[in-house]
């Protein structure tokens, strides 16, 4: 699109508050906008976005479009896509950032297709080439063993950014920006698909991706039962339990506990891995952890190259001793 300029990010406002992925995208978008000397706009989609626009401005937006319609109350891919296409046509941005959360995984490729442009999927970082002003998107390739830098030749350039790869900016109430009401006229009957049922994921305790401490188990645990011991340790630490894909594929824990390239990306303060070898695909989901502690009986396991602290030993001895010590220290 000719004369396209500015950075546009899409976000939501569940219960009237700025969504966590929207906050992360604002951080990514702010750095691009500053590098290019352009404006950062966030389009907030929903039936009512309440106080979220002011929050978006305090966290980096120059301009907020409150994209509202009764049809946008519950997430529906066809209807959200219509609203997004309408916003892009109206605002003509040079760069669009979308979260690669569950919704973004289906919306980003469909939006790119409708606009007839490319898409940089699953980006870990976005930047700009200061000579050309083009978007440079870092994304994992070869199963997470390498990172490719991708640039799209058409405009708008779209990147889907992996959740938890950007820290939200601290809120600054002194920041100012424009809030523009952008009601959209969406005919819900035009949706090609129908949402038959919405099943709420059962959340016991802290969500894995929000936990500041995560204890993950791998194939070396040998079965599902030892995860009860990891649950006990995680509960003592106020954390959550994750797993390697090998443990998930073995049916020991549900898929929503998988950490890694094809699982969740987590950035806890403390990540304790138990009987996990540290394959690159696992590390792709946890390398942003502030400190990794590895427990593995094989001193040559790759995880020890990634860990700040390591215990070479059998988990069956180490975990009960560690749990007992923490229990004593916390009582
Ligand atoms: P293993 O590699 O088998 O390691 C088990 C470890 O347990 C070993 O290091 C062993 O020394 C140790 N051990 C055994 N017994 C004990 C004991 N008694 N005490 C202490 N230590 C012990 N993997 C992921 O985790 N997440 C992903 O998202 C993911 N995505 C993938 C995507 C693709 C495209 C591909 C190809 C692979 C993906 N994988 C992913 C799989 C990944 O390559 C590894 O196979 C997997 O991470 C291995 O899991 P693991 O470390 O539990 O098992």
């Amino acid at each position: 699109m000719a004369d396209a300029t500015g950075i546009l990010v899409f976000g939501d406002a569940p219960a009237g508050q700025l969504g966590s992925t929207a906050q992360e995208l604002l951080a990514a978008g702010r750095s691009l906008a500053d590098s290019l000397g352009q404006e950062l706009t966030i389009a907030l989609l929903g039936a009512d976005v309440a106080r979220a626009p002011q929050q978006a401005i305090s966290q980096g937006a120059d301009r907020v479009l409150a994209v509202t319609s009764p049809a946008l109350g519950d997430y529906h891919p066809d209807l959200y896509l219509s609203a997004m296409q309408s916003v892009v046509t109206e605002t003509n941005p040079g760069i669009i950032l979308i979260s690669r959360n569950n919704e973004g995984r289906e919306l980003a490729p469909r939006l790119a297709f409708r606009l007839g442009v490319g898409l940089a999927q699953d980006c870990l970082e976005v930047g700009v080439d200061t000579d050309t002003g083009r978007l440079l998107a870092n994304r994992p390739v070869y199963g997470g063993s390498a990172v490719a830098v991708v640039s799209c030749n058409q405009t708008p350039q779209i990147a889907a950014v992996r959740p938890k790869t950007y820290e939200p900016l601290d809120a600054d109430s002194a920041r100012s920006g424009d809030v523009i009401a952008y009601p959209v006229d969406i005919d819900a009957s035009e949706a090609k698909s129908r949402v038959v049922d919405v099943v709420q994921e059962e959340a016991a305790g802290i969500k894995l991706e929000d936990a500041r401490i995560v204890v993950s188990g791998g194939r070396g645990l040998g079965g599902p039962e030892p995860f009860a011991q990891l649950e006990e340790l995680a509960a003592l630490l106020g954390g959550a339990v994750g797993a390697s894909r090998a443990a998930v594929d073995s049916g020991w824990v549900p898929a929503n506990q998988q950490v890694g390239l094809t699982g969740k990306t987590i950035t806890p303060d403390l990540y304790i891995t138990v009987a996990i070898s540290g394959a690159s695909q696992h590390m792709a989901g946890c390398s942003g952890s502030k400190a990794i502690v590895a427990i593995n009986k094989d001193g040559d396991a790759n995880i020890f190259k990634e860990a700040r602290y390591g215990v070479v030993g059998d988990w069956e001895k180490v975990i009960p001793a560690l749990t007992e010590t923490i229990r004593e220290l916390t009582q």
Side-chain angles (χ1 to χ4, degrees):
M1 288 196 268
D3 303 324
T5 185
I7 320 297
L8 173 67
V9 307
F10 282 102
D12 60 352
Q17 297 283 329
L18 196 60
S20 61
T21 54
Q23 296 177 42
E24 295 165 17
L25 287 185
L26 280 175
R30 188 67 260 161
S31 73
L32 298 182
D34 289 343
S35 301
L36 293 169
Q38 296 181 4
E39 202 172 53
L40 173 61
T41 301
I42 183 166
L44 290 172
L45 276 59
D48 173 18
V49 296
R51 294 187 309 279
Q54 288 311 327
Q55 196 187 344
I57 289 168
S58 73
Q59 288 188 259
D62 298 313
R63 192 165 66 132
V64 182
L65 300 182
V67 185
T68 52
S69 160
L72 297 176
D74 291 322
Y75 171 69
H76 188 297
D78 296 345
L79 307 181
Y80 268 56
L81 190 60
S82 288
M84 289 164 81
Q85 191 177 5
S86 156
V87 171
V88 174
T89 308
E90 182 77 21
T91 56
N92 197 16
I95 293 173
I96 299 172
L97 301 182
I98 297 171
S99 175
R100 195 176 176 268
N101 56 11
N102 288 341
E103 292 83 9
R105 281 179 195 219
E106 60 180 345
L107 289 171
R110 293 174 72 179
L111 180 67
F113 177 78
R114 283 207 182 177
L115 298 171
V117 298
L119 165 68
Q121 267 283 27
D122 195 18
C123 300
L124 304 173
E125 197 178 0
V126 285
V128 281
D129 179 334
T130 44
D131 291 334
T132 61
R134 305 286 315 165
L135 175 73
L136 298 176
N138 292 2
R139 56 180 309 270
V141 289
Y142 303 122
S145 306
V147 173
V149 182
V150 176
S151 172
C152 299
N153 293 328
Q154 306 114 326
T155 307
Q157 306 158 86
I158 311 182
V161 181
R162 191 189 284 194
K164 299 285 172 195
T165 50
Y166 278 86
E167 275 284 319
L169 300 174
D170 289 337
D172 176 359
S173 56
R175 285 197 89 256
S176 61
D178 299 325
V179 180
I180 300 164
Y182 190 97
V184 276
D185 189 13
I186 293 177
D187 182 357
S189 68
E190 279 178 16
K192 294 194 185 82
S193 56
R194 196 163 54 89
V195 177
V196 179
D197 195 10
V198 177
V199 181
Q200 198 68 35
E201 185 181 306
E202 272 182 44
I206 307 168
K207 272 172 80 180
L208 181 59
E209 49 274 51
D210 295 334
R212 297 325 307 163
I213 298 177
V214 174
V215 184
S216 274
R219 189 181 348 240
L221 289 178
E225 296 80 14
F227 274 91
Q229 294 187 43
L230 303 197
E231 293 281 358
E232 191 186 351
L233 175 58
L236 270 177
L237 294 167
V241 171
S244 71
R245 178 159 154 181
V248 169
D249 286 351
S250 302
W252 301 343
V253 285
N256 63 6
Q257 282 178 254
Q258 183 180 318
V259 173
L261 185 68
T262 43
K264 289 182 174 168
T265 302
I266 57 168
T267 53
D269 295 334
L270 176 62
Y271 186 48
I272 303 175
T273 69
V274 187
I276 287 179
S277 61
S280 60
Q281 296 89 356
H282 185 80
M283 300 319 296
C286 61
S287 55
S289 306
K290 293 208 173 69
I292 297 177
V293 175
I295 299 163
N296 193 306
K297 69 175 184 185
D298 175 6
D300 292 328
N302 186 60
I303 191 73
F304 289 118
K305 294 191 188 122
E306 314 278 349
R308 187 181 300 179
Y309 305 103
V311 181
V312 179
D314 189 333
W315 70 266
E316 292 193 56
K317 295 196 177 113
V318 179
I319 291 298
L322 180 62
T323 306
E324 203 41 49
T325 305
I326 291 171
R327 197 189 311 281
E328 282 168 19
L329 288 173
T330 52
Q331 265 171 4

